[in-house]
Amino acid sequence: LYKTSHNKVTKQDYLFVVLASIISSCGFALNSETVVIGSMLISPVLKPLINLAISLLRGHDSTLYLSLEQLVKMIGLVILIGGILAWIFYKFFPTLRQTFDIALKDEDNKNASAQAKTILGRVGSLIQTDKGLPTTEFWFIVLIAIAGGVLLARTHCTDDADITTAIIGTGISTSVLPPIIAGAMLFAMGSEHSIPKFMNGLLLSMINILAIFVSYMATLYLSRDT
């Protein structure tokens, strides 16, 4: 129980973060959900999160701080790559920026929103602005992330299980990387709608990360004698 050797974060993982960010950015530029899902297949952002939970349970301060540092670095790298690629895309493909800009200004316009459906779907508000309460979508997102955390933990409790498969499955279902990329790409536009959309994307990822983290730790703790 609580093995971390197979989850060690390496330079290759950071390379995969870069590649996953590139693929995800291209998916949003192409308005292709399929390509975005493809980026989630190789995203290793959950690896330092798993190590963080295990280090906390074992009381290993050194690896705890290292895992937290790696998680923050990966998230920061995703934001940076998303912003840089967006700037490049907008420079060489100005129609892409125009498409996003029109969709942001008038999200009720079905034609405009359809052309940017993939990226807008990752940065939608999770709070009902008129009431200040979580939306229905918020609770489903939390439930999915909790289930993903339990899946990861139970897989980790089995010696002959491949936790990599569980990481990939959880990454696809919970969507940690794409919302950050989507928010960073819209932030790079510098419009009045950029910051709220960036914050929405970051909030969605943080909700997923927190729910996975808590349910993963709770499941491992409850499974320690089984």
Side-chain angles (χ1 to χ4, degrees):
L1 191 62
Y2 305 164
K3 298 186 295 296
T4 59
S5 59
H6 296 297
N7 303 321
K8 182 179 179 181
V9 177
T10 64
K11 292 181 181 179
Q12 178 169 281
D13 289 312
Y14 283 96
L15 174 60
F16 280 12
V17 168
V18 173
L19 295 176
S21 299
I22 292 173
I23 294 172
S24 183
S25 298
C26 291
F28 289 127
L30 293 169
N31 196 28
S32 172
E33 187 69 30
T34 302
V35 176
V36 173
I37 292 174
S39 71
M40 297 153 69
L41 286 169
I42 63 171
S43 172
V45 175
L46 290 179
K47 287 181 70 174
L49 182 67
I50 290 172
N51 291 342
L52 177 64
I54 294 173
S55 299
L56 188 61
L57 285 169
R58 298 183 68 175
H60 291 178
D61 292 340
S62 59
T63 53
L64 188 152
Y65 293 127
L66 176 61
S67 299
L68 181 59
E69 178 185 349
Q70 290 170 336
L71 179 62
V72 172
K73 282 182 177 180
M74 281 191 175
I75 293 174
L77 182 59
V78 171
I79 295 173
L80 180 63
I81 296 297
I84 292 175
L85 288 175
W87 181 83
I88 295 173
F89 291 166
Y90 301 152
K91 185 176 180 63
F92 289 95
F93 308 103
T95 55
L96 178 63
R97 178 171 185 159
Q98 184 180 14
T99 298
F100 287 167
D101 190 41
I102 294 174
L104 285 176
K105 288 180 178 178
D106 189 8
E107 291 188 50
D108 293 330
N109 184 325
K110 292 184 179 180
N111 290 330
S113 297
Q115 295 180 32
K117 179 181 179 181
T118 304
I119 194 168
L120 292 179
R122 302 288 180 170
V123 292
S125 177
L126 298 177
I127 304 296
Q128 294 176 344
T129 54
D130 55 336
K131 298 180 180 180
L133 299 173
T135 62
T136 302
E137 182 184 17
F138 170 87
W139 298 112
F140 283 112
I141 288 172
V142 171
L143 181 59
I144 292 170
I146 290 174
V150 174
L151 166 69
L152 283 174
R154 290 307 304 168
T155 305
H156 214 171
C157 291
T158 306
D159 290 335
D160 58 352
D162 183 6
I163 194 170
T164 301
T165 302
I167 289 176
I168 292 173
T170 303
I172 293 173
S173 63
T174 56
S175 184
V176 173
L177 181 140
I180 303 177
I181 289 290
M185 290 183 70
L186 295 178
F187 182 80
M189 292 178 58
S191 71
E192 59 180 319
H193 305 284
S194 293
I195 295 180
K197 293 301 183 182
F198 171 73
M199 295 305 296
N200 285 345
L202 192 60
L203 176 62
L204 173 57
S205 289
M206 293 302 105
I207 289 173
N208 280 323
I209 287 174
L210 180 61
I212 292 170
F213 179 76
V214 172
S215 61
Y216 181 88
M217 280 196 62
T219 304
L220 272 189
Y221 180 78
L222 295 173
S223 303
R224 66 192 186 281
D225 295 325
T226 61

